[in-house]
């Protein structure tokens, strides 16, 4: 059970001003969420395989294959900021 004082302490840690009325409301809402977790703990999961991801995806990466690249002129065609065959960017330092 989360107390009003714990909510205020978390607010202090997060540098969030929480007044007494709000801390009561937050404590009630957080305890409601914890109640739902308590209901989940009661569910019989014997024989149920753990689910690490909702979609049964094993490898989402493509093969690393060498392919041709776009010609330099085509790459630079959409910018007006170019210099000596490269993109010209503002200096950072």
């Amino acid at each position: 059970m989360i107390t009003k004082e714990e909510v205020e302490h978390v607010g202090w840690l997060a540098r969030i001003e929480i007044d007494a009325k709000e801390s009561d409301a937050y404590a009630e809402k957080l305890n409601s969420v914890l109640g739902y977790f308590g209901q989940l703990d009661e569910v019989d999961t014997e024989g149920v395989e753990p689910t690490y991801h909702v979609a049964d995806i094993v490898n989402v990466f493509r093969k690393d294959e060498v392919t041709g690249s776009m010609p330099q002129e085509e790459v630079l065609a959409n910018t007006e900021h170019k210099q000596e065959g490269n993109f010209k960017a503002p200096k950072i330092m």
Side-chain angles (χ1 to χ4, degrees), residues 1-7 26-28 30-31 34:
M1 174 127 175
I2 295 178
T3 66
K4 171 184 164 181
E5 290 77 23
E6 289 172 322
V7 171
Y26 285 132
E28 185 179 320
L30 290 170
N31 284 318
L34 291 177

Side-chain angles (χ1 to χ4, degrees), residues 12-88:
W12 178 80
L13 290 172
R15 308 291 193 264
I16 300 172
E17 282 190 40
I18 300 176
D19 61 30
K21 184 178 178 184
E22 289 176 322
S23 64
D24 286 332
Y26 285 132
E28 185 179 320
K29 289 178 185 180
L30 290 170
N31 284 318
S32 174
V33 171
L34 291 177
Y36 288 122
F37 281 110
Q39 289 178 3
L40 290 175
D41 285 340
E42 296 171 8
V43 174
D44 180 23
T45 58
E46 189 68 34
V48 177
E49 288 290 321
T51 303
Y52 300 104
H53 197 280
V54 292
D56 191 24
I57 299 174
V58 178
N59 187 356
V60 296
F61 300 109
R62 64 173 172 78
K63 291 187 178 195
D64 192 14
E65 298 174 349
V66 178
T67 60
S69 59
M70 295 174 62
Q72 186 176 18
E73 298 80 27
E74 190 176 335
V75 172
L76 295 172
N78 290 323
T79 184
E80 33 183 89
H81 306 289
K82 51 189 163 192
Q83 180 179 3
E84 298 175 11
N86 299 301
F87 287 102
K88 183 178 179 186

